[in-house]
């Protein structure tokens, strides 16, 4: 898996100050996407053990509320094993920090057994997530007054 960037002081993608990982690879190709360069699975840098250490170190300060995975698309089947392993390590090291994840896939349609991107690690990945923001960005539904989402169709789901 590749990733585009790590934001170590993100205040836009969940409550409080967060560490956010923008993964590479997305098949949604939403019109008006703010991060279209991340559609390419080869975009950015390879995700390595050093990347994991960097994220864990960035999460250490007490003022960091949690971690957010977004993209690109964390739930693309190719990305799920790496993101799941990362989330498990975050849970082990920082059980009191919350984990948010953004996906263009629908929780109750695509991430369930038989769903478009359900894999052998999907349920494990979901079990690590406190809050899932689901649904593709729809430009005609864009609403800049919404907190933590870009378009009115997207849902904030507390898992």
């Amino acid at each position: 898996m590749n990733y585009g960037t790590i934001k170590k002081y993100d205040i836009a993608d969940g409550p409080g100050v967060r560490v956010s990982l923008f993964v590479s690879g997305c098949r949604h190709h939403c019109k008006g996407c703010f991060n279209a360069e991340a559609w390419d699975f080869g975009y950015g840098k390879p995700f390595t053990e050093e990347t994991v250490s960097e994220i864990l170190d960035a999460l250490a300060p007490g003022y960091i509320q949690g971690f957010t995975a977004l993209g690109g698309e964390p739930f693309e089947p190719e990305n799920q094993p790496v993101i799941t392993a990362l989330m498990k390590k975050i849970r082990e090291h920082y059980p009191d920090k919350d984990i948010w994840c953004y996906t263009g896939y629908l929780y109750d349609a695509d991430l369930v057994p038989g769903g478009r991107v359900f894999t052998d690690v999907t349920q494990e990945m979901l079990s690590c997530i406190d809050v899932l923001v689901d649904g593709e960005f729809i430009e005609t539904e864009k609403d800049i007054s919404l907190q933590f989402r870009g378009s009115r169709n997207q849902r904030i789901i507390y898992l």
Side-chain angles (χ1 to χ4, degrees), residues 5-152:
T5 191
I6 298 168
K7 288 188 179 178
K8 296 182 180 175
Y9 308 101
D10 188 0
I11 58 169
D13 298 309
V17 181
R18 316 186 65 72
V19 174
S20 294
L21 172 68
F22 290 77
V23 304
S24 297
C26 182
R27 293 184 175 91
H28 299 294
H29 297 191
C30 301
K31 182 178 179 186
C33 176
F34 79 100
N35 199 15
E37 63 270 9
W39 294 351
D40 180 354
F41 284 85
Y43 173 74
K45 300 174 262 192
F47 190 90
T48 65
E49 283 304 314
E50 289 78 26
T51 313
V52 172
S53 295
E54 180 181 352
I55 291 168
L56 293 175
D57 290 347
L59 284 164
Y63 60 83
I64 299 291
Q65 181 169 333
F67 172 78
T68 301
L70 61 169
E73 174 58 68
F75 275 96
E76 291 295 4
E78 299 90 330
N79 293 339
Q80 287 186 41
V82 175
I83 297 299
T84 301
L86 172 63
M87 288 180 176
K88 286 173 63 178
K89 284 187 180 179
I90 292 169
R91 280 279 178 240
E92 290 168 15
H93 285 82
Y94 304 107
D96 296 332
K97 300 202 187 251
D98 60 12
I99 296 178
W100 280 51
C101 186
Y102 284 76
T103 181
Y105 292 108
L106 295 176
Y107 172 67
D108 48 1
D110 301 316
L111 304 179
V112 295
R116 283 195 306 169
V117 292
F118 187 83
T119 73
D120 59 340
V121 298
T122 303
Q123 287 178 317
E124 188 175 17
M125 185 169 160
L126 287 168
S127 75
C128 293
I129 297 169
D130 296 296
V131 179
L132 182 72
V133 181
D134 82 340
E136 291 187 3
F137 172 75
I138 299 176
E139 194 169 42
T140 58
E141 296 282 317
K142 182 177 180 177
D143 184 343
I144 61 169
S145 71
L146 296 172
Q147 190 174 36
F148 308 133
R149 24 188 203 134
S151 56
R152 288 185 296 276

